[in-house]
């Protein structure tokens, strides 16, 4: 039996525990109790969530009590510091357990314990920059649903904890069981770790009508070349002035923004249509299927075929 220990502290966000349902239903689908789940805290006893709900916990003992340890998040990691005892246990768990995970801002506990040093990690987008500032040796990727780096797993916001749990389930029991659990939980789509936390179309949020107009033009013409010169001409600016204003307002270069828009459009086509990858590449402005795959891997960390398999399976 695979034992999973959820580690909570006062003020934990109750949504962190929602991912336990994935493992519960995995036992139902498997027809046997493959997973055993228990909640832990430093001293044991009742622990109060940020909502005020109390849950009973067992005291933390040896990390060998579970093969997977999952550290839950809090609403604001800037005001809640993990205790020395919790950090000491996290270090032991990270060195001994099969998997150690941080859901949402639970990643701050792992980072404080030194488990994320020189690793890729994610957290809720609202705190990603703070995680990077506090722990410069962590490679923070603020646009990922969840990330696996060796034995360390981290997820974005609370609902992404469900996706992280589904990823664990698939590794343990296979894709078919994972798809069956997703159906039972009425998860519209089981998201892969490489998916973005937020829409690129919303994230750019330019301040001026000119740059907004350029983006609107780009969205309608993704299949075209969309050079800086063409975009600048559309809004009656010189290429140099357009690049300067665009970067200042969006935080991205025009080339990077267009690539991200194309990636998002391609991902949506792959998930929601039956068009061939050659057609998807052509319609979203990539040279060919191979170019699409290269940029997809760089942007999302997964291949277009993997995203399509997950979408169809869900």
């Amino acid at each position: 039996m695979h034992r999973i220990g959820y580690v909570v502290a006062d003020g934990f966000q109750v949504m962190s525990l929602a991912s336990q349902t994935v493992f519960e239903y995995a036992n139902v689908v498997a027809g046997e109790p493959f997973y055993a789940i228990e909640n832990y805290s430093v001293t044991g006893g009742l622990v109060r969530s940020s909502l005020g709900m109390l849950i009973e916990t067992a005291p933390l003992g040896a990390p060998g009590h579970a093969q997977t340890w999952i550290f839950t998040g809090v609403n604001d990691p800037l005001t809640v510091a993990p205790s020395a005892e919790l950090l000491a246990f996290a270090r032991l768990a990270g060195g001994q357990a099969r998997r150690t995970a941080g859901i949402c801002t639970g990643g701050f506990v792992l980072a404080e314990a030194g488990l994320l040093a020189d690793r890729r990690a994610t957290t809720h987008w609202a705190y990603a920059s703070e995680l990077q500032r506090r722990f410069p040796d962590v490679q923070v990727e603020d646009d990922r649903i969840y990330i696996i780096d060796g034995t360390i797993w981290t997820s974005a916001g609370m609902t992404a904890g469900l996706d992280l749990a589904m990823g664990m389930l698939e590794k343990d029991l296979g894709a078919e069981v994972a798809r069956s659990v997703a159906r039972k939980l009425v998860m519209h789509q089981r998201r892969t770790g490489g998916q973005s936390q937020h829409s690129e179309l919303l994230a750019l949020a330019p301040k001026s009508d000119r740059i907004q107009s350029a983006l609107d033009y780009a969205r309608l013409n993704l299949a075209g070349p969309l050079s800086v010169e063409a975009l600048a001409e559309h809004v009656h600016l010189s290429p140099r002035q357009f690049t300067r204003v665009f970067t200042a307002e969006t935080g991205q270069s025009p080339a990077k923004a267009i690539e991200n828009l194309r990636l998002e459009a391609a991902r949506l086509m792959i998930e929601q249509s039956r068009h061939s990858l050659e057609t998807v590449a052509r319609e979203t402005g990539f040279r060919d299927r191979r170019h699409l795959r290269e940029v997809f891997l760089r942007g999302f960390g997964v291949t277009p075929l993997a995203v399509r398999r997950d979408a169809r399976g869900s």
Side-chain angles (χ1 to χ4, degrees):
M1 182 176 293
H2 187 105
R3 297 184 300 278
I4 300 178
Y6 277 73
V7 183
V8 301
D10 283 328
F12 76 92
Q13 222 295 329
V14 70
M15 186 65 186
S16 298
L17 303 185
S19 55
Q20 294 184 3
T21 306
V22 170
F23 303 115
E24 175 190 3
Y25 272 79
N27 288 343
V28 173
V29 171
E32 60 181 345
F34 181 84
Y35 293 109
I37 305 164
E38 188 161 7
N39 297 316
Y40 292 84
S41 65
V42 170
T43 59
L46 293 175
V47 178
R48 187 179 300 275
S49 75
S50 61
L51 191 61
M53 182 185 75
L54 295 170
I55 66 165
E56 185 66 43
T57 64
L60 287 174
H65 287 174
Q67 288 80 46
T68 295
W69 288 100
I70 299 178
F71 291 78
T72 60
V74 296
N75 283 337
D76 187 352
L78 309 186
T79 60
V80 181
S83 67
E85 295 83 359
L86 182 61
L87 293 175
F89 179 83
R91 293 186 190 100
L92 288 175
Q96 297 179 22
R98 174 182 168 188
R99 289 184 297 228
T100 305
I103 289 182
C104 191
T105 56
F108 277 78
V109 177
L110 303 189
E112 189 72 35
L115 299 181
L116 301 186
D118 301 318
R119 292 182 184 272
R120 298 169 58 238
T122 192
T123 189
H124 192 289
W125 62 265
Y127 295 103
S129 60
E130 180 62 20
L131 183 65
Q132 186 68 85
R133 187 190 70 79
R134 286 193 187 185
F135 307 100
D137 56 352
V138 180
Q139 185 181 333
V140 179
E141 299 183 18
D142 63 356
D143 60 346
R144 294 292 180 266
I145 296 297
Y146 67 87
I147 286 177
I148 310 168
D149 192 322
T151 62
I152 306 298
W153 298 52
T154 51
S155 84
M158 296 300 178
T159 59
L162 293 167
D163 301 292
L164 177 143
M166 291 295 299
M168 291 181 174
L169 168 58
E170 181 170 339
K171 284 188 176 293
D172 293 340
L173 295 176
E176 186 54 42
V177 173
R179 283 194 289 266
S180 181
V181 170
R183 287 193 293 270
K184 286 185 179 295
L185 296 181
V186 198
M187 294 175 70
H188 173 66
Q189 180 184 337
R190 190 177 67 76
R191 300 179 295 180
T192 60
Q195 284 192 245
S196 176
Q197 292 190 36
H198 46 76
S199 170
E200 192 63 36
L201 302 181
L202 298 177
L204 292 171
K207 299 177 179 63
S208 70
D209 291 341
R210 275 188 169 180
I211 301 305
Q212 184 61 59
S213 176
L215 286 171
D216 290 340
Y217 174 81
R219 292 165 190 161
L220 295 173
N221 296 276
L222 288 177
L226 291 180
S227 64
V228 169
E229 289 75 16
L231 293 171
E233 182 180 356
H234 179 73
V235 294
H236 309 294
L237 292 173
S238 70
R240 183 174 181 178
Q241 185 181 15
F242 173 77
T243 299
R244 178 178 58 80
V245 174
F246 188 99
T247 303
E249 291 193 16
T250 68
Q252 297 183 19
S253 68
K256 184 62 176 177
I258 296 304
E259 180 178 281
N260 288 339
L261 290 175
R262 283 176 165 148
L263 270 176
E264 184 166 67
R267 177 175 60 81
L268 290 173
M269 283 188 70
I270 289 167
E271 292 171 350
Q272 300 174 8
S273 78
R274 294 187 175 274
H275 292 305
S276 68
L277 293 184
E278 287 82 0
T279 299
V280 172
R282 183 173 62 251
E283 292 295 320
T284 54
F286 295 98
R287 292 192 301 272
D288 50 31
R289 175 175 176 161
R290 178 178 296 180
H291 183 216
L292 172 65
R293 186 180 189 278
E294 291 172 357
V295 180
F296 231 78
L297 277 171
R298 185 170 66 243
F300 294 139
V302 294
T303 65
L305 281 175
V307 171
R308 172 153 283 175
R309 280 196 301 268
D310 283 339
R312 288 181 176 176
S314 299

